[in-house]
């Protein structure tokens, strides 16, 4: 059972206890209130929310256009390859590019911010 | 010796060696469920891809494209885009915060069932099929019970490599057949016409015809496709056996790396379904895709890839070549089914033994402590029981004319309607409580199964005026699941049932965002 409030290799295969000691709750709440933690959350959401909205719109545009602009989507572009098929293929490219941008940002920006919060937590345990 | 049998024995041999090696290491709970958190990013990515590319995608999608052309390809698109949901919202928070999200045996059973059925409806072995289900089931139980997550992961990796190899080989041969001229290939596809709608196979509208009927004032085919898309891109993030994979990696960076590997592999595989599915449509033809003989009354879409392999083998390597390539694809599909059902069984066993037995029964009700040995023992017993139930269900269900991918579709709808609300709100909504979680899970599950059974997708022959108009129910059941979770969270607040939920959230919030407390001790 994890009784330590902060890092220290909690047993990953067991869920934390249902009732926490009051000081433990205070520790988590305190970390949540720090500027470092807020920076991290803000940075992450600033990327994730627009990216999620974008990929949902781009994805659902495909079935919607197939329905409302059926004739246009069946128009051949190169040989017998039509707009609908090219748009479907572009979804693969879109998914790979968005994933690439997210991972690049996470490896540089988010990881640095997260390690600042972890350092802070480490200092609090010692003090 | 028969070449099919030989290849099957090789597959079984490799997987059993892996299991034997893993069994010596699977004695603690962390080892058994999370492979000691020692799986690296790329290994996990291969395993995710392996878990995901089930028989439903290998046999099923090739079949859907071979039968429905462009509309079948929509499954491929949705199943890749789905990983953006996983990457952005689930992968790292999930790894960082060990939520008991796996407590969903109910969703695993239909998925397991559909995987065994994929095998069932597929008669390459030419023997009675009940014994084959039993054989697959028993092998899967051996992997899980003896080897736990380590064995399941490595079986998954071997299978992913075999599957990619098989798909690359078939795609290459299809391209070779068309002299590497893509223009010729697409012209040939466009010359294949659907008998019912008169559309060519490159055009959308074969599976669901546009401009035929309206539902709620909107074109029915459009609604079907949007509804299908919702289940595909939201369901993946709620599949327990995919979520579990994020518990096996050491840190958030490895979780990201594994999604990147998985997306690369899965995307490449699904692009190759163009060659497999359209290749089968042009080179073999829907009318010839069946188990026995060369023309048939009821074509079986699961046989599209094997039949394509047989055709390509015959045309490039003579008579023996067809037999060999067919056997090879059969072995790949066999490995696929073995690995996927093993992954599902492990997830089900973890859900029951860890979440229910340990946390609810022993700690919650009996207030007792549970030793590592006892937990692993319970997990093994559960795996055996789940395996036996699955074998029984699959045998009882009998042969089905539904494509494996369509049956798997229901699992995605349930995952999106029932599991996703609970997972997303636990991670990101401060006020979410037990009432909301239970209501979302129950409401989403019951609604999706109910709508599906009264809709046109369930019974054969298709009813003319089904009580629910759409075969894809996600467009109603997914919002309903989220609504239940929200409304009952409010009700729970009014009743003040569990005020602890909010206090708990501060911990989940910090841990999910930073990875605190879930890092291996040495890394801090």
């Amino acid at each position: 059972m994890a009784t330590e409030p902060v890092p220290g290799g909690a047993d990953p295969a067991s869920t934390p206890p249902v009732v926490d000691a009051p000081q433990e709750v205070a520790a988590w709440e305190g970390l949540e209130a720090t500027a470092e933690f807020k920076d991290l959350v803000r940075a992450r959401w600033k990327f994730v929310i627009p990216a999620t909205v974008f990929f949902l719109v781009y994805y659902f545009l495909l079935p919607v256009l197939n329905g409302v602009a059926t004739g246009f989507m069946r128009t051949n572009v190169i040989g017998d390859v039509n707009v609908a098929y090219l748009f479907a293929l572009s979804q693969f490219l879109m998914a790979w590019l968005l994933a690439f941008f997210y991972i690049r940002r996470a490896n540089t920006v988010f990881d640095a911010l997260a390690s600042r919060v972890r350092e802070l937590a480490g200092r609090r345990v010692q003090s | 010796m028969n070449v099919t049998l030989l290849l099957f024995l090789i597959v079984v041999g490799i997987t059993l060696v892996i299991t034997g090696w893993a069994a010596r290491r699977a004695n603690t709970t962390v080892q058994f469920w999370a492979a000691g958190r020692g799986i690296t990013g790329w290994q996990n990515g291969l395993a995710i891809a392996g878990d995901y590319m089930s028989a439903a995608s290998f046999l099923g999608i090739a079949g859907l494209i071979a039968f429905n052309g462009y509309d079948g390809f929509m499954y491929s698109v949705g199943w890749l885009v789905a990983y953006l949901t996983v990457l952005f919202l689930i992968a790292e928070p999930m790894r960082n915060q060990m939520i008991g999200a796996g407590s969903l045996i109910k969703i695993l059973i239909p998925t397991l069932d559909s995987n065994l059925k994929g095998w069932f409806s597929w008669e390459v072995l030419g023997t009675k099929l009940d014994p084959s289900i039993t054989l697959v089931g028993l092998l899967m139980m051996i992997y899980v019970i003896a080897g736990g997550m380590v064995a399941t992961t490595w079986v998954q990796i071997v299978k992913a490599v075999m599957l990619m190899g098989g798909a690359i080989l078939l795609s290459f041969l299809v391209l070779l057949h068309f002299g590497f001229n893509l223009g010729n290939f697409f012209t040939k596809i466009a010359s294949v016409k659907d008998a019912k709608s008169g559309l060519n196979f490159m055009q959308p509208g074969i599976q669901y015809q546009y401009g035929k009927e309206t539902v709620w004032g909107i074109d029915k085919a459009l609604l079907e496709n949007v509804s299908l898309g919702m289940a595909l891109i939201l369901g993946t993030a709620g599949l327990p056996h995919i979520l579990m994979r994020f518990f096996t990696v050491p840190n958030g960076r490895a979780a990201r790396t594994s999604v990147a590997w998985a997306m690369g592999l899965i995307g490449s595989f699904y692009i190759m379904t163009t060659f497999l599915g359209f290749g089968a449509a042009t080179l073999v033809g829907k009318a010839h895709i069946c188990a026995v003989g060369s023309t048939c009354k009821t074509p079986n879409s699961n046989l599209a890839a094997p039949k394509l392999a047989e055709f390509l083998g015959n045309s490039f390597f003579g008579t023996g070549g067809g037999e060999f390539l067919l056997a090879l694809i059969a072995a790949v599909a066999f490995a696929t089914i073995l690995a996927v059902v093993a992954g599902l069984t492990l997830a089900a066993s973890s859900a029951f033994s860890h979440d229910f037995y340990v946390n609810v029964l022993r700690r919650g009700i009996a207030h007792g402590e549970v030793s590592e040995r006892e937990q692993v023992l319970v997990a093994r017993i559960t795996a055996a029981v789940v395996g036996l139930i699955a074998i029984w269900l699959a045998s009882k269900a009998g042969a089905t004319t539904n494509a494996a991918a369509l049956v798997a579709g229901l699992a995605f709808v349930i995952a999106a309607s029932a599991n996703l609300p609970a997972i997303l709100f636990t991670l990101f909504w401060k006020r979410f409580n037990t009432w909301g979680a239970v209501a979302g899970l129950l409401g989403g599950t019951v609604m999706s199964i109910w709508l599906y059974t009264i809709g046109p997708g369930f019974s054969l022959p298709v009813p003319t005026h089904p009580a629910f108009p759409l075969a894809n129910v996600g467009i109603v059941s997914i919002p309903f699941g989220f609504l239940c979770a929200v409304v009952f969270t409010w009700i729970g607040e009014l009743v003040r049932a569990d005020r602890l939920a909010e206090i708990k959230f501060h911990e989940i919030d910090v841990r999910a965002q930073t990875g605190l407390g879930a890092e291996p001790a040495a890394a801090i």
Side-chain angles (χ1 to χ4, degrees), chain A residues 6 9 20 22-23 30 37 45 47 50-51 55 63 71 74-75 90 94 96-97 100 102 119 121 124:
Chain A
V6 267
D20 291 311
Q23 70 272 18
F37 182 77
W45 284 129
F47 182 94
F55 92 75
R74 289 177 184 166
T75 316
S90 80
M94 181 274 293
W96 280 332
L97 279 177
F100 171 77
Y102 173 81
E119 273 168 30
R124 287 189 173 199

Side-chain angles (χ1 to χ4, degrees), chain A residues 4-114:
Chain A
E4 294 259 311
V6 267
D11 175 11
S14 74
T15 317
V18 182
V19 185
D20 291 311
Q23 70 272 18
E24 189 178 323
V25 174
W28 291 115
E29 216 173 341
L31 270 182
E32 206 182 23
T34 60
E36 281 82 356
F37 182 77
K38 284 179 176 156
D39 282 350
L40 168 67
V41 174
R42 205 175 298 128
R44 204 192 288 272
W45 284 129
K46 220 174 113 188
F47 182 94
V48 165
I49 292 172
T52 305
V53 171
F54 174 79
F55 92 75
L56 287 177
V57 170
Y58 193 83
Y59 174 74
F60 283 107
L61 210 54
L62 177 61
V64 169
L65 281 180
N66 277 337
V68 295
T70 316
F72 168 72
M73 296 300 274
R74 289 177 184 166
T75 316
N76 284 348
V77 184
I78 316 158
D80 285 288
V81 180
N82 55 31
V83 181
Y85 185 79
L86 287 178
F87 195 9
L89 266 190
S90 80
Q91 301 271 347
F92 287 83
L93 197 67
M94 181 274 293
W96 280 332
L97 279 177
L98 269 190
F100 171 77
F101 289 134
Y102 173 81
I103 289 170
R104 199 178 58 174
R105 172 157 295 220
N107 284 348
T108 52
V109 182
F110 307 154
D111 272 0
L113 289 170

Side-chain angles (χ1 to χ4, degrees), chain B residues 84-102:
Chain B
L84 290 176
T85 321
V86 176
L87 179 65
F88 291 165
L89 299 173
I90 306 289
E92 289 173 66
M94 201 69 195
R95 192 220 74 90
N96 291 338
Q97 172 61 40
M98 299 289 299
I99 305 172

Side-chain angles (χ1 to χ4, degrees), chain B residues 7-240:
Chain B
L7 287 171
F8 274 52
L9 288 179
I10 292 175
V11 170
V12 173
I14 293 174
T15 50
L16 285 179
V17 167
I18 292 173
T19 309
W21 164 75
R24 270 171 274 138
R25 323 163 95 210
N27 295 317
T28 66
T29 49
V30 188
Q31 283 292 349
F32 192 82
W33 284 310
R37 293 209 153 197
I39 301 288
T40 66
W42 69 268
Q43 290 167 348
N44 195 46
L46 270 171
I48 292 173
D51 255 326
Y52 201 56
M53 297 186 292
S54 59
S57 34
F58 184 53
L59 303 176
I61 293 194
L64 281 168
I65 297 177
F67 280 30
N68 299 316
Y70 178 90
D71 283 358
F73 191 53
M74 291 295 287
Y75 285 83
S76 298
V77 173
W79 273 333
L80 175 70
V81 174
Y83 272 86
L84 290 176
T85 321
V86 176
L87 179 65
F88 291 165
L89 299 173
I90 306 289
E92 289 173 66
M94 201 69 195
R95 192 220 74 90
N96 291 338
Q97 172 61 40
M98 299 289 299
I99 305 172
S103 8
L104 301 151
I105 302 175
K106 62 191 185 332
I107 176 189
L108 294 167
I109 297 293
T111 326
L112 256 175
D113 195 32
S114 75
N115 272 289
L116 286 173
K117 262 189 218 153
W119 170 252
F120 193 90
S121 52
W122 182 59
E123 298 167 42
V124 166
L125 268 186
T127 54
K128 271 270 182 202
L129 286 164
D130 271 331
S132 351
I133 289 188
T134 313
L135 175 75
V136 170
L138 290 176
L139 279 169
M140 137 196 119
M141 282 158 66
I142 294 173
Y143 304 149
V144 176
I145 294 168
M149 190 53 137
V150 180
T152 313
T153 302
W154 280 99
V155 167
Q156 213 58 264
I157 292 172
V158 168
K159 161 267 180 99
V161 170
M162 283 181 71
L163 192 60
M164 287 304 284
I168 291 171
L169 178 68
L170 286 188
S171 302
F172 176 81
L173 291 177
V174 168
L175 281 171
L176 188 65
H177 182 92
F178 288 96
F180 291 96
N181 186 332
L182 280 174
N184 281 351
F185 179 54
F186 285 111
T187 306
K188 190 75 197 288
I189 299 168
S191 73
V192 181
K193 295 274 193 293
D194 176 56
K196 214 164 104 194
S197 60
L199 294 169
N200 84 48
F201 261 45
M202 288 293 286
Q203 294 176 325
I206 293 177
Q207 191 176 13
Y208 304 111
Q209 286 189 46
Y210 292 101
K212 284 266 173 192
E213 282 175 73
T214 54
V215 172
W216 311 317
I218 303 170
D219 188 76
K220 189 182 159 196
L222 188 156
L223 281 180
E224 289 278 16
N225 276 305
V226 168
S227 187
L228 169 70
M230 285 176 73
L232 296 181
I233 67 168
L234 299 176
T236 304
L239 291 177

Side-chain angles (χ1 to χ4, degrees), chain B residues 90 94 99 101 237-238 243 418-428 432:
Chain B
I90 306 289
M94 201 69 195
I99 305 172
L243 297 177
N419 303 3
L420 193 64
I423 293 164
L424 281 184
F425 286 150
T426 307
L427 288 172
F428 301 116
F432 191 54

Side-chain angles (χ1 to χ4, degrees), chain B residues 243-312:
Chain B
L243 297 177
M244 262 188 91
R245 289 259 155 242
F246 294 106
F247 299 160
T248 63
V249 291
N251 53 43
R253 185 179 280 241
R256 289 193 287 270
T257 313
S258 54
V259 180
W261 271 88
M263 285 183 76
L265 287 164
I266 292 167
S268 315
F269 177 80
Y270 284 147
I271 287 179
M272 285 191 282
T273 58
T274 300
F275 304 112
L276 303 182
F278 286 132
T282 53
L283 301 176
V284 185
K286 182 178 172 179
H288 306 288
I289 297 176
C290 45
V292 196
S294 58
T295 33
C296 41
K297 284 201 188 96
T298 49
N300 181 345
S301 67
N302 284 335
L303 291 169
K307 280 282 173 179
L308 176 67
E310 191 181 23
F311 172 88
L312 291 168

